[in-house]
């Protein structure tokens, strides 16, 4: 949480799907259960409960049905495999594939500017 700075954190033990989502959200869902998290995130954003969100998922899933709605947002495909911080601050390799950050919100240019250093930022064309 040092990186994200979240006021509320839902861990794998909390089942975040059972809690309300509002405001700004950072989500790194369990990669084996992406679909319900993707559906809830898109629904909460479209309902106006979420103002901005960044979701981190495996780039290997871009052809899946649950990933499809993410193509309507701004994406950053990492130029490398990312490492994850553990609660004690150690960095571990957590993914054998590339990753993609998906941004929901009005500050698309700010997201693109900040995330260009992490990979390749793309947006569906034409709008």
């Amino acid at each position: 949480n040092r990186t994200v700075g979240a006021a509320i954190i839902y861990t794998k033990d909390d089942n975040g799907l059972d809690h309300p989502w509002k405001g700004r959200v950072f989500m790194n869902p369990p990669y084996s259960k992406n679909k319900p998290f993707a559906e809830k995130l898109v629904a909460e954003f479209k309902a106006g409960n979420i103002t901005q969100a960044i979701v981190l998922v495996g780039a290997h899933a871009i052809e899946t049905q649950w990933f499809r709605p993410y193509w309507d947002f701004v994406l950053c495909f990492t130029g490398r495999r990312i490492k994850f911080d553990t609660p004690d601050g150690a960095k571990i390799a957590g993914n054998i594939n590339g990753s993609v950050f998906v941004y929901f919100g009005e500050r698309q240019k700010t997201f693109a500017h900040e995330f260009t250093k992490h990979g390749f930022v793309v947006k569906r064309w034409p709008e």
Side-chain angles (χ1 to χ4, degrees), residues 75-86:
L75 301 100
C76 173
F77 290 88
T78 59
R80 57 182 165 66
R81 294 179 186 162
I82 61 174
K83 293 184 178 178
F84 294 89
D85 294 341
T86 63

Side-chain angles (χ1 to χ4, degrees), residues 31 34 57-71 75 77 97-98 100 124:
Y31 285 10
N34 274 296
V57 294
H60 66 283
I62 62 172
E63 81 288 351
T64 63
Q65 189 70 26
W66 62 261
F67 192 95
R68 255 189 190 168
Y70 289 165
W71 286 109
L75 301 100
F77 290 88
N97 299 297
V100 59
R124 184 189 299 228

Side-chain angles (χ1 to χ4, degrees), residues 45 52 72-74 103-115 121 123 127:
F45 181 76
Q52 292 184 88
D72 292 333
F73 301 93
V74 181
Y103 174 74
F104 292 66
E106 297 296 322
R107 299 181 65 195
Q108 296 176 2
K109 288 183 181 178
T110 301
F111 172 82
H113 176 76
E114 292 297 322
F115 275 75
V121 178
K123 184 175 179 184
E127 279 188 51

